[in-house]
Amino acid sequence: PVRISTAIFVMEDSHRLFLQAFMTHYVMYTKEVKEHFAMALKRFGGDYELGSFVITINENIKPLNLEIRKGISEKTGNHCYCLVNASENHGILKQSSDYTVNELEYFKKLVGEIAKSPEGSISSVDALNQVDKLENVKMSKKMAQDLIDRFQKDLWIISDVNEGHISLDTRCILELGHYLKDTYEDFIVNCEMCKQICLQGQSCGSCRAKLHHHCAARCFRNRDSPKCPASGCGAPWPYEQPERVEPSQQPTQNQGRKRRR
Amino acid sequence: QSLTQAQRAVSNFSQADIQKKVTELVQYILIADQKKIPIKKKEINRHVLKEMSKSFPILIKKAEEQLQYVFGFKLQTETTGKQTSYMLINAIDLNEDEPHLKWSPEENAKTGLLMIILSLIFMEGNVVPDTKLWHTLKRLGVDSEKNHEVFGDVKKLVTQEFVRQAYLEYIRQPNTDPPSFEFRWGSRAQAETTKRNVLEFVCQIYGREVDDVDSPEYGNCVPMELTKWTSQYQDVVRS
Ligand SMILES: [Mg+2]
Ligand SMILES: [Mg+2]
Ligand SMILES: [Zn+2]
Ligand SMILES: [Zn+2]
């Protein structure tokens, strides 16, 4: 019996070529995605718009527990597309072709600590100290540091050497967002503006509301005295917004700075 | 094992079970291919099919169809003696009629890099160990350990993209730990490109003025020993 959706969403060579790019890259920023899309259409023709093109692919890879998801970097505001493991078993946490079971246990620990933190990040020192909390595994801090470097290279974790902390990269949030909200629901809130899970961002001083840096910049653009957008709050927003709103490669330039009182 | 035996075996299972098994099989093949682990029938039966191993011919055919339809991958069979193993190659028709110049600068640069790699493999007697390839590229200014300005993840480009497109073969050497690999020309390079074209291309590039060699497309290229390349080219032309 053919799934009705796959009878409607027919794969062409253009879709396949585009999908193959994701099998190689897993994560691509918008510029590169658009290049691959343009190349696929140039080579094989077709009158497609990117959104429905991706939907067609997603309908066909859904049975394989794969999905192309679009996300926004909490650090830079840049848009990216990720091929994620969409299974209920939460993919990377249970199995991975890149990491051993022991390495995944450490990864799960890091993810949990970051999810529970109010700022969506933990210090590098805390991150390394998590090896002491591992149950079935004996891991040195050197091994842990090497692992963190690999997690960073594979775009799961961001390790900010200047700030001395680690946080979750977009790929991780896209793949594990549901799991994090379920498992750590007491700790995690959604951004007041875009309603998506918010780990790194700006917190209201008076209520639980939080905003992504890029959402705050958009929300408070050209406002003299920004106020908390949560209904029933309205307290003065305790962050200064940068003047430029465009996403940039330098995260600290884009993020609002906390006001001194 | 005949097809009718397999059909009889598979009729013991529900459609849902069969579909689930095919899904697991496709996922297994994709992961094994990515890790460059040889995909062996024996391993498939042991780790994936298990109680449904008798239905192997039917299940592998369904997996093949799904890989072809969704990804444009062809599942190539290799039988050596009693062992059957599989490899994923690209089934999408990649023949372009348009000249390379119409592509983006990134694609032109990729073609250049591929040509250089094909030349190197040829010069080394049609096979080159991976370590030697990375070393040579590094001397040319393309460091596979670092993120490249134009190519990005060079290792991925060479060992995955170029291999997918069947320009290169990236073959794991048995009994090596840590694993070592060797590179050969892929079926596509052999079909489309003669050795003469490859050498002609390389001589054109390295016969240029230093300014051109340092153009943004090639990064900080270090010129190769020009005499070695041009004499090889003369040999091919004369033959
Ligand atoms: Mg690319
Ligand atoms: Mg590309
Ligand atoms: Zn937001
Ligand atoms: Zn508030």
Side-chain angles (χ1 to χ4, degrees), chain A residues 16-44:
Chain A
R16 296 178 187 114
L17 189 62
F18 184 80
L19 176 57
Q20 283 189 14
F22 272 96
M23 300 300 286
T24 316
H25 294 65
Y26 279 93
V27 179
M28 281 196 276
Y29 284 92
T30 303
K31 181 166 174 279
E32 193 173 6
V33 171
K34 287 188 174 168
E35 279 171 9
H36 282 283
F37 179 55
M39 228 174 18
L41 293 195
K42 187 167 192 171
R43 216 169 271 195
F44 297 109

PDB file of all heavy atoms in Angstrom, chain A residues 16-44:
ATOM      1  N   ARG A  16      16.750  14.541  -5.481  1.00  0.00           N
ATOM      2  CA  ARG A  16      17.760  13.569  -5.056  1.00  0.00           C
ATOM      3  C   ARG A  16      19.134  14.211  -4.937  1.00  0.00           C
ATOM      4  O   ARG A  16      19.881  13.924  -4.003  1.00  0.00           O
ATOM      5  CB  ARG A  16      17.819  12.399  -6.031  1.00  0.00           C
ATOM      6  CG  ARG A  16      16.528  11.603  -6.069  1.00  0.00           C
ATOM      7  CD  ARG A  16      16.569  10.476  -7.073  1.00  0.00           C
ATOM      8  NE  ARG A  16      15.251   9.866  -7.170  1.00  0.00           N
ATOM      9  CZ  ARG A  16      14.483   9.901  -8.246  1.00  0.00           C
ATOM     10  NH1 ARG A  16      14.912  10.482  -9.351  1.00  0.00           N
ATOM     11  NH2 ARG A  16      13.288   9.342  -8.234  1.00  0.00           N
ATOM     12  N   LEU A  17      19.468  15.045  -5.899  1.00  0.00           N
ATOM     13  CA  LEU A  17      20.772  15.695  -5.873  1.00  0.00           C
ATOM     14  C   LEU A  17      20.894  16.597  -4.645  1.00  0.00           C
ATOM     15  O   LEU A  17      21.905  16.614  -3.949  1.00  0.00           O
ATOM     16  CB  LEU A  17      20.985  16.501  -7.157  1.00  0.00           C
ATOM     17  CG  LEU A  17      22.385  17.056  -7.377  1.00  0.00           C
ATOM     18  CD1 LEU A  17      23.398  15.928  -7.490  1.00  0.00           C
ATOM     19  CD2 LEU A  17      22.447  17.948  -8.610  1.00  0.00           C
ATOM     20  N   PHE A  18      19.831  17.338  -4.377  1.00  0.00           N
ATOM     21  CA  PHE A  18      19.785  18.229  -3.220  1.00  0.00           C
ATOM     22  C   PHE A  18      19.900  17.417  -1.929  1.00  0.00           C
ATOM     23  O   PHE A  18      20.661  17.767  -1.027  1.00  0.00           O
ATOM     24  CB  PHE A  18      18.455  18.997  -3.269  1.00  0.00           C
ATOM     25  CG  PHE A  18      18.272  20.026  -2.205  1.00  0.00           C
ATOM     26  CD1 PHE A  18      18.850  21.280  -2.308  1.00  0.00           C
ATOM     27  CD2 PHE A  18      17.474  19.759  -1.097  1.00  0.00           C
ATOM     28  CE1 PHE A  18      18.652  22.245  -1.329  1.00  0.00           C
ATOM     29  CE2 PHE A  18      17.274  20.727  -0.111  1.00  0.00           C
ATOM     30  CZ  PHE A  18      17.860  21.972  -0.230  1.00  0.00           C
ATOM     31  N   LEU A  19      19.174  16.304  -1.858  1.00  0.00           N
ATOM     32  CA  LEU A  19      19.216  15.444  -0.680  1.00  0.00           C
ATOM     33  C   LEU A  19      20.617  14.870  -0.486  1.00  0.00           C
ATOM     34  O   LEU A  19      21.113  14.775   0.634  1.00  0.00           O
ATOM     35  CB  LEU A  19      18.183  14.325  -0.807  1.00  0.00           C
ATOM     36  CG  LEU A  19      18.149  13.268   0.294  1.00  0.00           C
ATOM     37  CD1 LEU A  19      17.923  13.890   1.669  1.00  0.00           C
ATOM     38  CD2 LEU A  19      17.065  12.222   0.011  1.00  0.00           C
ATOM     39  N   GLN A  20      21.269  14.502  -1.583  1.00  0.00           N
ATOM     40  CA  GLN A  20      22.628  13.955  -1.481  1.00  0.00           C
ATOM     41  C   GLN A  20      23.575  14.960  -0.845  1.00  0.00           C
ATOM     42  O   GLN A  20      24.487  14.586  -0.118  1.00  0.00           O
ATOM     43  CB  GLN A  20      23.150  13.546  -2.864  1.00  0.00           C
ATOM     44  CG  GLN A  20      22.562  12.225  -3.341  1.00  0.00           C
ATOM     45  CD  GLN A  20      23.244  11.722  -4.605  1.00  0.00           C
ATOM     46  OE1 GLN A  20      24.308  12.195  -4.989  1.00  0.00           O
ATOM     47  NE2 GLN A  20      22.622  10.749  -5.257  1.00  0.00           N
ATOM     48  N   ALA A  21      23.375  16.244  -1.141  1.00  0.00           N
ATOM     49  CA  ALA A  21      24.209  17.277  -0.521  1.00  0.00           C
ATOM     50  C   ALA A  21      24.050  17.237   1.002  1.00  0.00           C
ATOM     51  O   ALA A  21      25.015  17.389   1.742  1.00  0.00           O
ATOM     52  CB  ALA A  21      23.859  18.652  -1.068  1.00  0.00           C
ATOM     53  N   PHE A  22      22.821  17.015   1.474  1.00  0.00           N
ATOM     54  CA  PHE A  22      22.593  16.938   2.910  1.00  0.00           C
ATOM     55  C   PHE A  22      23.195  15.679   3.515  1.00  0.00           C
ATOM     56  O   PHE A  22      23.607  15.681   4.677  1.00  0.00           O
ATOM     57  CB  PHE A  22      21.093  16.991   3.233  1.00  0.00           C
ATOM     58  CG  PHE A  22      20.588  18.390   3.382  1.00  0.00           C
ATOM     59  CD1 PHE A  22      19.995  19.035   2.326  1.00  0.00           C
ATOM     60  CD2 PHE A  22      20.757  19.073   4.573  1.00  0.00           C
ATOM     61  CE1 PHE A  22      19.548  20.340   2.462  1.00  0.00           C
ATOM     62  CE2 PHE A  22      20.325  20.372   4.718  1.00  0.00           C
ATOM     63  CZ  PHE A  22      19.718  21.007   3.650  1.00  0.00           C
ATOM     64  N   MET A  23      23.256  14.601   2.738  1.00  0.00           N
ATOM     65  CA  MET A  23      23.862  13.366   3.255  1.00  0.00           C
ATOM     66  C   MET A  23      25.354  13.576   3.479  1.00  0.00           C
ATOM     67  O   MET A  23      25.976  12.909   4.290  1.00  0.00           O
ATOM     68  CB  MET A  23      23.648  12.208   2.264  1.00  0.00           C
ATOM     69  CG  MET A  23      22.210  11.869   1.955  1.00  0.00           C
ATOM     70  SD  MET A  23      21.272  11.368   3.411  1.00  0.00           S
ATOM     71  CE  MET A  23      21.961   9.732   3.649  1.00  0.00           C
ATOM     72  N   THR A  24      25.927  14.503   2.730  1.00  0.00           N
ATOM     73  CA  THR A  24      27.351  14.805   2.884  1.00  0.00           C
ATOM     74  C   THR A  24      27.586  15.840   3.973  1.00  0.00           C
ATOM     75  O   THR A  24      28.521  15.727   4.751  1.00  0.00           O
ATOM     76  CB  THR A  24      27.939  15.355   1.564  1.00  0.00           C
ATOM     77  OG1 THR A  24      27.459  14.579   0.481  1.00  0.00           O
ATOM     78  CG2 THR A  24      29.446  15.310   1.586  1.00  0.00           C
ATOM     79  N   HIS A  25      26.735  16.869   3.994  1.00  0.00           N
ATOM     80  CA  HIS A  25      26.992  18.007   4.880  1.00  0.00           C
ATOM     81  C   HIS A  25      26.288  17.924   6.225  1.00  0.00           C
ATOM     82  O   HIS A  25      26.795  18.400   7.207  1.00  0.00           O
ATOM     83  CB  HIS A  25      26.551  19.307   4.199  1.00  0.00           C
ATOM     84  CG  HIS A  25      27.348  19.655   2.986  1.00  0.00           C
ATOM     85  ND1 HIS A  25      27.359  18.899   1.848  1.00  0.00           N
ATOM     86  CD2 HIS A  25      28.164  20.688   2.725  1.00  0.00           C
ATOM     87  CE1 HIS A  25      28.147  19.462   0.954  1.00  0.00           C
ATOM     88  NE2 HIS A  25      28.650  20.552   1.453  1.00  0.00           N
ATOM     89  N   TYR A  26      25.070  17.410   6.231  1.00  0.00           N
ATOM     90  CA  TYR A  26      24.198  17.372   7.417  1.00  0.00           C
ATOM     91  C   TYR A  26      23.707  18.735   7.872  1.00  0.00           C
ATOM     92  O   TYR A  26      22.585  18.885   8.306  1.00  0.00           O
ATOM     93  CB  TYR A  26      24.830  16.608   8.592  1.00  0.00           C
ATOM     94  CG  TYR A  26      24.660  15.120   8.419  1.00  0.00           C
ATOM     95  CD1 TYR A  26      25.648  14.364   7.796  1.00  0.00           C
ATOM     96  CD2 TYR A  26      23.482  14.487   8.803  1.00  0.00           C
ATOM     97  CE1 TYR A  26      25.462  13.021   7.565  1.00  0.00           C
ATOM     98  CE2 TYR A  26      23.300  13.131   8.580  1.00  0.00           C
ATOM     99  CZ  TYR A  26      24.298  12.403   7.963  1.00  0.00           C
ATOM    100  OH  TYR A  26      24.116  11.066   7.731  1.00  0.00           O
ATOM    101  N   VAL A  27      24.589  19.722   7.859  1.00  0.00           N
ATOM    102  CA  VAL A  27      24.196  21.072   8.255  1.00  0.00           C
ATOM    103  C   VAL A  27      24.667  22.031   7.176  1.00  0.00           C
ATOM    104  O   VAL A  27      25.823  21.971   6.767  1.00  0.00           O
ATOM    105  CB  VAL A  27      24.851  21.492   9.588  1.00  0.00           C
ATOM    106  CG1 VAL A  27      24.440  22.903   9.974  1.00  0.00           C
ATOM    107  CG2 VAL A  27      24.496  20.520  10.689  1.00  0.00           C
ATOM    108  N   MET A  28      23.783  22.888   6.719  1.00  0.00           N
ATOM    109  CA  MET A  28      24.205  23.890   5.730  1.00  0.00           C
ATOM    110  C   MET A  28      23.534  25.221   6.042  1.00  0.00           C
ATOM    111  O   MET A  28      22.349  25.248   6.385  1.00  0.00           O
ATOM    112  CB  MET A  28      23.803  23.447   4.316  1.00  0.00           C
ATOM    113  CG  MET A  28      24.725  22.400   3.704  1.00  0.00           C
ATOM    114  SD  MET A  28      24.468  22.265   1.921  1.00  0.00           S
ATOM    115  CE  MET A  28      23.088  21.141   1.860  1.00  0.00           C
ATOM    116  N   TYR A  29      24.297  26.296   5.903  1.00  0.00           N
ATOM    117  CA  TYR A  29      23.694  27.608   6.072  1.00  0.00           C
ATOM    118  C   TYR A  29      22.967  28.025   4.801  1.00  0.00           C
ATOM    119  O   TYR A  29      23.191  27.445   3.729  1.00  0.00           O
ATOM    120  CB  TYR A  29      24.758  28.625   6.523  1.00  0.00           C
ATOM    121  CG  TYR A  29      25.099  28.434   7.985  1.00  0.00           C
ATOM    122  CD1 TYR A  29      26.133  27.609   8.383  1.00  0.00           C
ATOM    123  CD2 TYR A  29      24.308  29.020   8.981  1.00  0.00           C
ATOM    124  CE1 TYR A  29      26.391  27.391   9.730  1.00  0.00           C
ATOM    125  CE2 TYR A  29      24.565  28.805  10.322  1.00  0.00           C
ATOM    126  CZ  TYR A  29      25.598  27.983  10.695  1.00  0.00           C
ATOM    127  OH  TYR A  29      25.847  27.752  12.019  1.00  0.00           O
ATOM    128  N   THR A  30      22.114  29.030   4.953  1.00  0.00           N
ATOM    129  CA  THR A  30      21.166  29.372   3.884  1.00  0.00           C
ATOM    130  C   THR A  30      21.840  29.600   2.541  1.00  0.00           C
ATOM    131  O   THR A  30      21.352  29.134   1.506  1.00  0.00           O
ATOM    132  CB  THR A  30      20.353  30.619   4.282  1.00  0.00           C
ATOM    133  OG1 THR A  30      19.703  30.343   5.516  1.00  0.00           O
ATOM    134  CG2 THR A  30      19.320  30.942   3.228  1.00  0.00           C
ATOM    135  N   LYS A  31      22.970  30.293   2.547  1.00  0.00           N
ATOM    136  CA  LYS A  31      23.646  30.618   1.292  1.00  0.00           C
ATOM    137  C   LYS A  31      23.977  29.348   0.520  1.00  0.00           C
ATOM    138  O   LYS A  31      23.690  29.227  -0.669  1.00  0.00           O
ATOM    139  CB  LYS A  31      24.923  31.413   1.590  1.00  0.00           C
ATOM    140  CG  LYS A  31      25.707  31.823   0.346  1.00  0.00           C
ATOM    141  CD  LYS A  31      26.757  32.901   0.691  1.00  0.00           C
ATOM    142  CE  LYS A  31      27.639  33.217  -0.505  1.00  0.00           C
ATOM    143  NZ  LYS A  31      28.724  32.228  -0.686  1.00  0.00           N
ATOM    144  N   GLU A  32      24.570  28.367   1.213  1.00  0.00           N
ATOM    145  CA  GLU A  32      24.965  27.129   0.546  1.00  0.00           C
ATOM    146  C   GLU A  32      23.748  26.312   0.115  1.00  0.00           C
ATOM    147  O   GLU A  32      23.748  25.701  -0.946  1.00  0.00           O
ATOM    148  CB  GLU A  32      25.870  26.297   1.455  1.00  0.00           C
ATOM    149  CG  GLU A  32      26.545  25.173   0.683  1.00  0.00           C
ATOM    150  CD  GLU A  32      27.575  24.408   1.488  1.00  0.00           C
ATOM    151  OE1 GLU A  32      27.710  24.666   2.700  1.00  0.00           O
ATOM    152  OE2 GLU A  32      28.230  23.547   0.893  1.00  0.00           O
ATOM    153  N   VAL A  33      22.705  26.315   0.964  1.00  0.00           N
ATOM    154  CA  VAL A  33      21.482  25.588   0.618  1.00  0.00           C
ATOM    155  C   VAL A  33      20.906  26.130  -0.686  1.00  0.00           C
ATOM    156  O   VAL A  33      20.531  25.372  -1.583  1.00  0.00           O
ATOM    157  CB  VAL A  33      20.433  25.706   1.748  1.00  0.00           C
ATOM    158  CG1 VAL A  33      19.086  25.152   1.301  1.00  0.00           C
ATOM    159  CG2 VAL A  33      20.910  24.975   2.988  1.00  0.00           C
ATOM    160  N   LYS A  34      20.875  27.464  -0.779  1.00  0.00           N
ATOM    161  CA  LYS A  34      20.326  28.079  -1.991  1.00  0.00           C
ATOM    162  C   LYS A  34      21.181  27.759  -3.219  1.00  0.00           C
ATOM    163  O   LYS A  34      20.662  27.573  -4.316  1.00  0.00           O
ATOM    164  CB  LYS A  34      20.185  29.588  -1.800  1.00  0.00           C
ATOM    165  CG  LYS A  34      19.039  29.924  -0.873  1.00  0.00           C
ATOM    166  CD  LYS A  34      18.746  31.411  -0.797  1.00  0.00           C
ATOM    167  CE  LYS A  34      17.487  31.645   0.030  1.00  0.00           C
ATOM    168  NZ  LYS A  34      17.294  33.050   0.387  1.00  0.00           N
ATOM    169  N   GLU A  35      22.493  27.663  -3.009  1.00  0.00           N
ATOM    170  CA  GLU A  35      23.387  27.293  -4.124  1.00  0.00           C
ATOM    171  C   GLU A  35      23.093  25.881  -4.600  1.00  0.00           C
ATOM    172  O   GLU A  35      23.002  25.617  -5.797  1.00  0.00           O
ATOM    173  CB  GLU A  35      24.850  27.390  -3.677  1.00  0.00           C
ATOM    174  CG  GLU A  35      25.402  28.789  -3.713  1.00  0.00           C
ATOM    175  CD  GLU A  35      26.780  28.889  -3.047  1.00  0.00           C
ATOM    176  OE1 GLU A  35      27.358  27.831  -2.709  1.00  0.00           O
ATOM    177  OE2 GLU A  35      27.246  30.018  -2.862  1.00  0.00           O
ATOM    178  N   HIS A  36      22.949  24.947  -3.653  1.00  0.00           N
ATOM    179  CA  HIS A  36      22.660  23.563  -4.027  1.00  0.00           C
ATOM    180  C   HIS A  36      21.295  23.453  -4.685  1.00  0.00           C
ATOM    181  O   HIS A  36      21.115  22.678  -5.632  1.00  0.00           O
ATOM    182  CB  HIS A  36      22.742  22.646  -2.802  1.00  0.00           C
ATOM    183  CG  HIS A  36      24.156  22.304  -2.413  1.00  0.00           C
ATOM    184  ND1 HIS A  36      24.906  21.371  -3.094  1.00  0.00           N
ATOM    185  CD2 HIS A  36      24.957  22.791  -1.438  1.00  0.00           C
ATOM    186  CE1 HIS A  36      26.108  21.295  -2.536  1.00  0.00           C
ATOM    187  NE2 HIS A  36      26.165  22.139  -1.527  1.00  0.00           N
ATOM    188  N   PHE A  37      20.346  24.223  -4.196  1.00  0.00           N
ATOM    189  CA  PHE A  37      18.998  24.227  -4.770  1.00  0.00           C
ATOM    190  C   PHE A  37      19.059  24.730  -6.212  1.00  0.00           C
ATOM    191  O   PHE A  37      18.511  24.103  -7.131  1.00  0.00           O
ATOM    192  CB  PHE A  37      18.095  25.109  -3.901  1.00  0.00           C
ATOM    193  CG  PHE A  37      16.675  25.224  -4.376  1.00  0.00           C
ATOM    194  CD1 PHE A  37      15.910  24.094  -4.597  1.00  0.00           C
ATOM    195  CD2 PHE A  37      16.083  26.469  -4.573  1.00  0.00           C
ATOM    196  CE1 PHE A  37      14.592  24.193  -5.018  1.00  0.00           C
ATOM    197  CE2 PHE A  37      14.769  26.581  -4.986  1.00  0.00           C
ATOM    198  CZ  PHE A  37      14.022  25.447  -5.215  1.00  0.00           C
ATOM    199  N   ALA A  38      19.757  25.844  -6.404  1.00  0.00           N
ATOM    200  CA  ALA A  38      19.871  26.428  -7.741  1.00  0.00           C
ATOM    201  C   ALA A  38      20.555  25.453  -8.693  1.00  0.00           C
ATOM    202  O   ALA A  38      20.149  25.284  -9.838  1.00  0.00           O
ATOM    203  CB  ALA A  38      20.633  27.744  -7.679  1.00  0.00           C
ATOM    204  N   MET A  39      21.595  24.801  -8.189  1.00  0.00           N
ATOM    205  CA  MET A  39      22.338  23.852  -9.013  1.00  0.00           C
ATOM    206  C   MET A  39      21.459  22.673  -9.423  1.00  0.00           C
ATOM    207  O   MET A  39      21.522  22.211 -10.554  1.00  0.00           O
ATOM    208  CB  MET A  39      23.539  23.327  -8.205  1.00  0.00           C
ATOM    209  CG  MET A  39      24.784  23.378  -9.015  1.00  0.00           C
ATOM    210  SD  MET A  39      26.317  22.953  -8.197  1.00  0.00           S
ATOM    211  CE  MET A  39      25.942  22.089  -6.742  1.00  0.00           C
ATOM    212  N   ALA A  40      20.651  22.180  -8.475  1.00  0.00           N
ATOM    213  CA  ALA A  40      19.782  21.033  -8.745  1.00  0.00           C
ATOM    214  C   ALA A  40      18.764  21.391  -9.824  1.00  0.00           C
ATOM    215  O   ALA A  40      18.512  20.609 -10.740  1.00  0.00           O
ATOM    216  CB  ALA A  40      19.076  20.575  -7.465  1.00  0.00           C
ATOM    217  N   LEU A  41      18.203  22.592  -9.721  1.00  0.00           N
ATOM    218  CA  LEU A  41      17.201  23.003 -10.706  1.00  0.00           C
ATOM    219  C   LEU A  41      17.835  23.285 -12.065  1.00  0.00           C
ATOM    220  O   LEU A  41      17.262  22.998 -13.108  1.00  0.00           O
ATOM    221  CB  LEU A  41      16.445  24.244 -10.221  1.00  0.00           C
ATOM    222  CG  LEU A  41      15.560  24.069  -9.005  1.00  0.00           C
ATOM    223  CD1 LEU A  41      14.610  25.253  -8.872  1.00  0.00           C
ATOM    224  CD2 LEU A  41      14.755  22.780  -9.064  1.00  0.00           C
ATOM    225  N   LYS A  42      19.051  23.839 -12.006  1.00  0.00           N
ATOM    226  CA  LYS A  42      19.738  24.159 -13.261  1.00  0.00           C
ATOM    227  C   LYS A  42      20.016  22.868 -14.036  1.00  0.00           C
ATOM    228  O   LYS A  42      19.862  22.795 -15.248  1.00  0.00           O
ATOM    229  CB  LYS A  42      21.051  24.871 -12.942  1.00  0.00           C
ATOM    230  CG  LYS A  42      21.767  25.395 -14.168  1.00  0.00           C
ATOM    231  CD  LYS A  42      22.876  26.358 -13.746  1.00  0.00           C
ATOM    232  CE  LYS A  42      23.413  27.104 -14.940  1.00  0.00           C
ATOM    233  NZ  LYS A  42      24.324  28.184 -14.563  1.00  0.00           N
ATOM    234  N   ARG A  43      20.418  21.841 -13.297  1.00  0.00           N
ATOM    235  CA  ARG A  43      20.799  20.590 -13.927  1.00  0.00           C
ATOM    236  C   ARG A  43      19.596  19.780 -14.396  1.00  0.00           C
ATOM    237  O   ARG A  43      19.632  19.134 -15.429  1.00  0.00           O
ATOM    238  CB  ARG A  43      21.617  19.762 -12.941  1.00  0.00           C
ATOM    239  CG  ARG A  43      22.721  18.961 -13.562  1.00  0.00           C
ATOM    240  CD  ARG A  43      23.610  18.407 -12.494  1.00  0.00           C
ATOM    241  NE  ARG A  43      24.692  19.303 -12.128  1.00  0.00           N
ATOM    242  CZ  ARG A  43      25.761  18.920 -11.432  1.00  0.00           C
ATOM    243  NH1 ARG A  43      25.859  17.677 -11.026  1.00  0.00           N
ATOM    244  NH2 ARG A  43      26.702  19.763 -11.124  1.00  0.00           N
ATOM    245  N   PHE A  44      18.530  19.788 -13.602  1.00  0.00           N
ATOM    246  CA  PHE A  44      17.421  18.892 -13.905  1.00  0.00           C
ATOM    247  C   PHE A  44      16.118  19.593 -14.207  1.00  0.00           C
ATOM    248  O   PHE A  44      15.107  18.945 -14.485  1.00  0.00           O
ATOM    249  CB  PHE A  44      17.209  17.896 -12.753  1.00  0.00           C
ATOM    250  CG  PHE A  44      18.388  16.997 -12.544  1.00  0.00           C
ATOM    251  CD1 PHE A  44      19.199  17.133 -11.430  1.00  0.00           C
ATOM    252  CD2 PHE A  44      18.705  16.026 -13.475  1.00  0.00           C
ATOM    253  CE1 PHE A  44      20.298  16.314 -11.244  1.00  0.00           C
ATOM    254  CE2 PHE A  44      19.810  15.204 -13.308  1.00  0.00           C
ATOM    255  CZ  PHE A  44      20.604  15.353 -12.191  1.00  0.00           C
TER     256      PHE A  44
END
